[in-house]
Amino acid sequence: MTNDEKWFEKKIDRREFLKKAGIGGAGLALGVSGASAFFTNKVKEEKNFADGDEEISFYGSHQAGITTPMQKNVYFVVLDLHSTDRAEVIQMFKNWTDYSSKLVDGELVKKDGSNALLPPSDTGETVGLNPYRLTLTFGVSISFLKKMGLEKKRPQAFREFPPFPKEQLQDKYTGGDIVIQACADDEQVAFHAVRNLVRKARNTVTMKWSQSGFAAIGDRLATPRNLFGFKDGTANVTKEKDFEQVVWCDSNDWMRDGSYMAVRRIQMFLETWDRTNLQEQENTFGRYKDSGAPFGKKHEFDEVELELLPVDSHVRLAKEVNKPIYRRSYSYSDGIDERTGQFDSGLLFLSFQKDPDSFVKVLTNLGAQDKMNEYVTHIGSGLFACFAGIKKGEYIGQKLFE
């Protein structure tokens, strides 16, 4: 059973526990000692669930942080290679593997020696905290392959994005060689992980851009809302068999069991949106704001009927191409835009798909018609190949270098 399947099973178990906790005869049905053990274990699970102190392994057939149910926070960083020495880059990935396996378990990256005149091995800001479901996800870009002389290993599906209508990309938020996505239910835990990984690799990489983000998650399996107040990610698949069809690569190369990460930094004009009436907001999405249901339906996950949606609505245009992607986006708020005096806020759009062409087709169909264009601008972009999962004894990206 995968980590993700365990998550969904745990959610069902949790609901069953709550039901049984409200049934007076539950203890009699289980027997006194059996009931005591049952409720003791369940209470412990509930506490771990509430505290975020749950085990998510760094190792597995797929990288965590892709189909893992979303955490509340992300710290996302894009890096450029400072060195292209093969041995040095491989050692960096080996070091990151060692560090990552400890970070997700809530351990220090390295214990200090006896010499107090040396800097601490771990920066220390998470001492006393649990891992808060920390996941670390790594990927590389086409430019990484070129710089490392590995372009012959570039999968056919791994192609640069074409220009998209209405985008206004800024160089500082575009490109880069390596991506690290750290997600956790505590923002300091996520930042600490990236800080220590970058610190360890300072001779090999430099930071290009980074973004912290947050997701409005109450129930962990509920769809979070973006800063426009609408649910974001309703159409995501949830079952492992569907992940195989949508997310995980099945090519016979180093990307098998990996996934392609599409990144868009989207600036949202909140002040303009906040002056827009509710009907127009719902027409922009093609969904009801409160329930998340598509037009003409009552519930969030009801089937979308395209003919019931405005022709320029975001959902209709995205659905028309019938190319599912797996969204995992986070909101951001970076203070005030000095030029306009308005919020510098938006969406760190992240999606995973087995073929980047699915994302290209969706964004191309949205094109200039999408009514959402009145309220957003795409200012950052990137495409990264996220490696398959790491087995114990292996290092991140090992199959690429073999």
Side-chain angles (χ1 to χ4, degrees):
M1 182 179 291
T2 67
N3 283 334
D4 304 304
E5 288 174 319
K6 289 177 182 177
W7 265 98
F8 290 108
E9 184 178 80
K10 183 179 290 185
K11 184 66 176 176
I12 295 171
D13 287 346
R14 180 173 182 263
R15 287 173 178 162
E16 288 301 311
F17 164 65
L18 293 174
K19 289 178 184 177
K20 290 176 181 178
I23 299 174
L28 293 175
L30 290 167
V32 177
S33 60
S36 176
F38 173 83
F39 285 112
T40 298
N41 291 335
K42 287 297 181 181
V43 167
K44 183 179 179 181
E45 288 180 14
E46 286 296 292
K47 185 178 187 305
N48 289 347
F49 189 95
D51 292 345
D53 192 13
E54 298 164 276
E55 293 182 5
I56 299 180
S57 177
F58 177 69
Y59 300 103
S61 56
H62 307 294
Q63 286 197 74
I66 297 178
T67 58
T68 306
M70 279 183 66
Q71 300 95 322
K72 295 179 181 178
N73 301 280
V74 67
Y75 196 84
F76 181 91
V77 65
V78 177
L79 309 167
D80 280 330
L81 284 171
H82 180 67
S83 169
T84 56
D85 180 87
R86 181 183 176 92
E88 191 172 333
V89 172
I90 288 175
Q91 186 59 51
M92 176 188 70
F93 281 121
K94 288 181 177 179
N95 293 338
W96 280 353
T97 303
D98 175 52
Y99 272 32
S100 297
S101 64
K102 294 173 180 174
L103 286 164
V104 300
D105 286 339
E107 300 175 9
L108 297 176
V109 293
K110 187 178 179 180
K111 293 182 179 179
D112 292 324
S114 58
N115 188 351
L117 298 178
L118 294 175
S121 300
D122 189 293
T123 55
E125 68 268 32
T126 59
V127 172
L129 299 178
N130 70 54
Y132 282 97
R133 296 202 303 131
L134 174 68
T135 57
L136 293 163
T137 311
F138 298 84
V140 296
S141 69
I142 292 173
S143 64
F144 176 92
L145 300 182
K146 291 178 179 177
K147 291 179 181 180
M148 293 301 300
L150 295 168
E151 196 169 10
K152 289 184 179 179
K153 287 198 167 188
R154 180 165 64 93
Q156 187 175 359
F158 197 15
R159 299 186 294 274
E160 298 283 6
F161 285 150
F164 295 112
K166 298 287 187 177
E167 65 182 7
Q168 298 180 32
L169 301 183
Q170 300 177 15
D171 288 342
K172 64 179 179 179
Y173 298 126
T174 305
D177 300 325
I178 301 172
V179 67
I180 305 175
Q181 173 194 267
C183 298
D185 284 330
D186 182 280
E187 57 187 338
Q188 188 151 307
V189 169
F191 176 77
H192 167 264
V194 171
R195 178 184 179 186
N196 281 270
L197 292 170
V198 172
R199 182 187 188 211
K200 183 64 175 176
R202 280 293 187 185
N203 293 331
T204 312
V205 294
T206 56
M207 291 188 289
K208 181 174 176 62
W209 69 277
S210 69
Q211 184 65 63
S212 60
F214 53 90
I217 300 174
D219 184 324
R220 289 189 191 160
L221 295 185
T223 309
R225 292 182 185 268
N226 58 37
L227 294 181
F228 285 162
F230 280 75
K231 296 189 175 187
D232 195 324
T234 296
N236 279 348
V237 295
T238 58
K239 294 181 170 51
E240 188 62 34
K241 63 181 180 62
D242 295 321
F243 295 152
E244 297 291 341
Q245 296 298 316
V246 175
V247 179
W248 305 124
C249 298
D250 52 11
S251 53
N252 292 317
D253 53 32
W254 58 274
M255 273 299 291
R256 187 177 188 87
D257 292 327
S259 189
Y260 291 99
M261 173 199 284
V263 182
R264 303 290 281 184
R265 191 179 193 271
I266 303 173
Q267 186 175 8
M268 300 168 72
F269 304 119
L270 300 184
E271 287 81 359
T272 303
W273 181 260
D274 292 342
R275 292 193 297 268
T276 303
N277 66 62
L278 177 59
Q279 182 176 339
E280 193 67 7
Q281 289 185 0
E282 292 183 334
N283 286 339
T284 299
F285 276 91
R287 288 185 179 274
Y288 301 117
K289 191 170 187 177
D290 185 34
S291 67
F295 279 5
K297 302 300 178 67
K298 293 183 178 181
H299 306 291
E300 177 186 356
F301 299 106
D302 287 346
E303 193 70 28
V304 175
E305 293 185 31
L306 296 182
E307 64 274 12
L308 299 179
L309 279 57
V311 294
D312 58 355
S313 65
H314 187 74
V315 171
R316 176 166 180 160
L317 291 169
K319 282 277 190 182
E320 280 178 349
V321 295
N322 194 29
K323 290 287 184 181
I325 59 176
Y326 190 85
R327 297 173 63 114
R328 205 172 197 277
S329 301
Y330 285 86
S331 299
Y332 71 84
S333 183
D334 288 349
I336 310 300
D337 188 326
E338 294 180 357
R339 299 168 302 166
T340 64
Q342 299 182 344
F343 290 112
D344 181 5
S345 300
L347 189 72
L348 179 65
F349 175 95
L350 302 169
S351 75
F352 294 89
Q353 45 278 307
K354 67 191 302 182
D355 187 342
D357 188 58
S358 295
F359 174 79
V360 171
K361 282 186 165 56
V362 170
L363 219 60
T364 300
N365 200 57
L366 290 172
Q369 300 180 64
D370 187 6
K371 193 169 180 57
M372 191 75 71
N373 291 330
E374 298 178 21
Y375 308 100
V376 303
T377 299
H378 292 229
I379 60 175
S381 183
L383 177 63
F384 298 91
C386 293
F387 306 113
I390 300 94
K391 298 177 182 177
K392 288 188 177 182
E394 294 182 346
Y395 63 87
I396 298 163
Q398 180 170 327
K399 289 183 175 59
L400 174 59
F401 291 100
E402 290 177 342

